[in-house]
Amino acid sequence: QVQLVESGGGSVQPGGSLRLSCAASGSTFSSYTMEWFRQAPGKEREFVAAIIPSGGSTLYADPVKGRLTISRDNAKNTVSLQMNSLKPEDTAVYYCAANTRWSWYQDPTRMSYWGKGTLVTVSP
């Protein structure tokens, strides 16, 4: 069982930065692929970024490549999402998720655990 708690959301102007964090409970954190998804109002939940258990490889959705960076600290059971050059279209609730199989990384229905989300609003 893994519990995930996100933090760090808020309001920022276009071009600004935020850093999201996800704290995980449980001793098996280092065995999970960790991911970030987001869901904008009226839209489906979409994949944002993923990082393998060792932290040695990452994947990003095309709209966020070069602007968002996922990282993890297995000693602290945390995964982070550094968000730079934010755009209004990045406005969404951001969710942390734990996944047991790397190949499922884009499929929200395959995630084993979810956090409750943190809201990011990008507006002038």
Side-chain angles (χ1 to χ4, degrees):
Q1 189 79 5
V2 176
Q3 291 184 328
L4 304 173
V5 180
E6 302 94 337
S7 61
S11 296
V12 64
Q13 293 184 340
S17 299
L18 281 175
R19 185 175 180 86
L20 306 184
S21 293
C22 174
S25 65
S27 60
T28 59
F29 172 80
S30 61
S31 68
Y32 288 94
T33 289
M34 295 303 298
E35 310 205 16
W36 289 94
F37 286 76
R38 67 186 182 186
Q39 188 165 16
K43 295 188 177 181
E44 295 186 350
R45 194 168 297 190
E46 64 176 4
F47 168 75
V48 174
I51 187 166
I52 65 172
S54 70
S57 184
T58 57
L59 279 171
Y60 297 92
D62 285 343
V64 307
K65 283 181 180 177
R67 301 188 297 116
L68 275 58
T69 303
I70 189 172
S71 60
R72 68 189 296 162
D73 186 336
N74 287 340
K76 296 182 179 179
N77 280 14
T78 59
V79 59
S80 299
L81 187 68
Q82 178 65 43
M83 308 170 70
N84 298 329
S85 301
L86 283 164
K87 304 176 180 180
E89 51 264 43
D90 294 318
T91 295
V93 177
Y94 284 72
Y95 297 90
C96 176
N99 176 18
T100 60
R101 186 169 292 184
W102 176 248
S103 60
W104 294 340
Y105 72 95
Q106 285 186 306
D107 187 352
T109 67
R110 295 285 195 173
M111 299 300 110
S112 297
Y113 301 102
W114 290 96
K116 293 183 178 181
T118 186
L119 177 63
V120 172
T121 303
V122 185
S123 64

